[in-house]
């Protein structure tokens, strides 16, 4: 799918201060050399991302974490051994080597090692940590395949095509704090799993990033069309121009089109298919999207979080 030559060319682009989109197991990332503030500013420009939203730094081997953190501690080691490479981002006190632009001026940096061979080879070949947000315009749908990246970032020259991502929703972001841990964003790694490896740490209440534009982060991952969640929003009577996203396989009558995210409410399956379906519905003739909810356990928590953020704008702003 991706040749060694393509990896080397993309790695050279990173080393030159340029941008490269690459697959991870969650969503595609838009990467730059995390230690080069100018390169990182290119990410914010291309994404039209506000400077208050920090980036995740991606590494390909555990040793690389030492240069990025103020202090490496036992809890980080435990989590890294348990979940890396994988969909877990640890937010920890940063070293001086990490430019402020990466962390949006915060004293802590998010770090993860992705479980994707192309991503790991790219980071290895670049020989620098790679800062990468999801490879979409700010606030829009996350990309789970290369064509999604092309659609939103048409000017980007380097896109490594690794096919469909295997998890489909962004990593769990966990903040490791002196007196406990806190989930900042839900993903495939659940609070229950984290608790097993942090038995001495109490879990603090989930918190979304404090930002200067109130309400903004509640609206995220948004398609251009209104999204309704069954049971949470009143559904317009006339659905003859609407799309239905089913998680259980059954589509009610009177919808123009539908997407089967899962035939039996399997949350992992829904996660894998969610953004792809929303991208297709965005491009379709349907006027709005109605989604069937799933139960909020395991990765179902992340799925419902993304759906609510996709729906937020239409119902609140
Ligand atoms: O799965 C993922 O995490 C993907 C792939 C590409 O790795 N990346 C991703 O990045 O979703 P992005 O930028 O779209 O979302 C990262 C989020 C930020 O919006 C913020 O909420 C949180 O992670 N975050 C990152 N660094 C942080 C920090 N220092 N403090 C608090 N939150 C942070
Ligand atoms: Mg994103």
């Amino acid at each position: 799918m991706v040749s060694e030559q393509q990896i080397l060319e993309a790695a050279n682009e990173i080393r030159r201060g340029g941008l490269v989109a690459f697959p991870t197991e969650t969503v595609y990332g838009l990467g730059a050399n995390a230690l080069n503030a100018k390169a990182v500013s290119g990410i914010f420009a291309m994404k039209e991302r506000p400077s208050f939203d920090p980036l995740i730094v991606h590494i390909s081997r555990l040793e690389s974490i030492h240069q990025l953190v103020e202090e490496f501690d036992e809890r980080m080691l435990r989590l890294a051994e348990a979940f890396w490479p994988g969909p877990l981002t640890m937010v920890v006190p940063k070293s001086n080597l990490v430019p402020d632009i990466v962390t949006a001026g915060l004293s802590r940096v998010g770090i993860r090692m992705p479980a994707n061979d192309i991503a790991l080879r790219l980071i290895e070949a670049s020989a620098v940590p790679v800062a990468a947000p999801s490879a979409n315009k700010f606030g829009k749908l996350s990309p789970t395949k290369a064509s999604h990246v092309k659609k939103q970032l048409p000017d980007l020259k380097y896109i490594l095509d690794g096919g469909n991502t295997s998890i489909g929703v962004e990593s769990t972001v966990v903040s490791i704090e002196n007196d406990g841990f806190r989930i900042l964003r839900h993903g495939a790694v659940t609070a229950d799993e984290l608790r097993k490896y942090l038995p001495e740490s109490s879990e603090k209440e989930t918190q979304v990033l404090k930002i200067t534009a109130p309400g903004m982060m509640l609206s995220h991952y948004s398609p251009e069309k209104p999204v309704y969640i069954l049971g949470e929003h009143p559904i317009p009577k006339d659905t003859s121009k609407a799309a239905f996203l089913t998680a259980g396989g059954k589509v009610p009558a009177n919808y123009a089109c539908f997407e089967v995210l899962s035939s039996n409410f399997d949350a992992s399956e829904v996660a894998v298919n969610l953004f792809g379906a929303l991208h297709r519905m965005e491009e379709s003739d349907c006027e709005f999207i109605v989604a069937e909810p799933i139960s909020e356990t395991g990765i179902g928590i992340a799925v419902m979080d993304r759906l609510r953020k996709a729906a937020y704008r239409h119902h609140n702003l």
Side-chain angles (χ1 to χ4, degrees), residues 239-291:
T239 57
S240 62
K241 288 184 179 149
F244 191 80
L245 305 189
T246 170
K250 290 201 181 70
V251 182
N254 303 327
Y255 276 82
C257 47
F258 66 91
E259 289 278 340
V260 180
L261 303 181
S262 166
S263 55
N264 57 355
F265 296 99
D266 179 310
S268 300
E269 225 170 58
V270 174
V272 165
N273 294 318
L274 180 66
F275 282 123
L278 289 171
H279 276 282
R280 278 190 295 276
M281 293 303 96
E282 190 172 63
E283 290 153 29
S284 77
D285 292 331
C286 74
E287 289 178 356
F288 61 93
I289 300 161
V290 177

Side-chain angles (χ1 to χ4, degrees), residues 25-313:
E25 77 281 37
T26 58
V27 300
Y28 276 69
L30 178 63
N33 177 354
L35 305 180
N36 176 341
K38 189 153 176 277
V40 172
S41 74
I43 295 178
F44 283 89
M46 182 168 282
K47 272 188 66 96
E48 296 165 24
R49 180 179 176 113
S51 57
F52 57 70
D53 195 3
L55 305 181
I56 295 169
V57 177
H58 297 69
I59 57 176
S60 55
R61 48 173 80 199
L62 188 54
E63 302 94 274
S64 307
I65 199 173
H66 296 285
Q67 61 181 325
L68 302 173
V69 302
E70 192 175 69
E71 207 179 326
F72 186 64
D73 77 36
E74 166 64 28
R75 290 184 300 169
M76 296 179 205
L77 179 63
R78 258 186 266 148
L79 291 181
E81 283 179 343
F83 298 106
W84 283 359
L88 180 72
T89 297
M90 288 185 229
V91 173
V92 296
K94 79 173 190 74
S95 73
N96 289 334
L97 204 61
V98 180
D100 285 338
I101 186 171
V102 171
T103 61
L106 300 170
S107 61
R108 301 157 64 78
V109 60
I111 306 172
R112 96 174 184 100
M113 190 192 294
N116 176 288
D117 186 53
I118 295 169
L120 293 172
R121 282 156 62 203
L122 173 69
I123 302 164
E124 272 298 297
S126 304
V128 289
V130 172
S134 51
N136 52 278
K137 292 280 190 199
F138 178 71
K140 303 293 182 201
L141 293 174
S142 295
T144 54
K145 58 179 183 178
S147 63
H148 297 158
V149 180
K150 287 194 191 104
K151 181 170 84 171
Q152 292 196 30
L153 308 176
D155 298 336
L156 182 63
K157 242 180 95 193
Y158 291 85
I159 303 178
L160 296 175
D161 186 347
N164 290 309
T165 62
S166 60
I167 292 181
V169 292
E170 301 80 355
S171 63
T172 302
V173 179
V174 63
S175 170
I176 310 293
E177 300 170 14
N178 282 340
D179 51 347
F181 71 96
R182 191 192 296 278
I183 293 183
L184 302 178
R185 179 177 69 187
H186 292 282
V189 174
T190 63
D192 284 342
E193 288 176 285
L194 289 172
R195 242 176 257 125
K196 269 193 254 165
Y197 294 92
L198 299 170
E200 78 286 40
S201 299
S202 59
E203 186 185 347
K204 301 160 87 178
E205 207 177 313
T206 295
Q207 192 180 52
V208 288
L209 193 64
K210 281 202 185 62
I211 35 135
T212 48
M216 217 165 170
M217 300 307 249
L218 294 169
S219 170
H220 218 74
Y221 317 109
S222 266
E224 300 293 340
K225 296 172 182 172
V227 175
Y228 296 80
I229 302 173
L230 270 190
E232 298 192 9
H233 306 115
I235 311 296
K237 275 215 167 57
D238 181 5
T239 57
S240 62
K241 288 184 179 149
F244 191 80
L245 305 189
T246 170
K250 290 201 181 70
V251 182
N254 303 327
Y255 276 82
C257 47
F258 66 91
E259 289 278 340
V260 180
L261 303 181
S262 166
S263 55
N264 57 355
F265 296 99
D266 179 310
S268 300
E269 225 170 58
V270 174
V272 165
N273 294 318
L274 180 66
F275 282 123
L278 289 171
H279 276 282
R280 278 190 295 276
M281 293 303 96
E282 190 172 63
E283 290 153 29
S284 77
D285 292 331
C286 74
E287 289 178 356
F288 61 93
I289 300 161
V290 177
E292 189 173 36
I294 57 171
S295 77
E296 288 177 77
T297 55
I299 197 172
I301 299 173
V303 166
M304 291 310 296
D305 166 70
R306 305 309 188 271
L307 267 179
R308 290 192 185 111
K309 285 178 177 151
Y312 188 86
R313 190 166 43 132

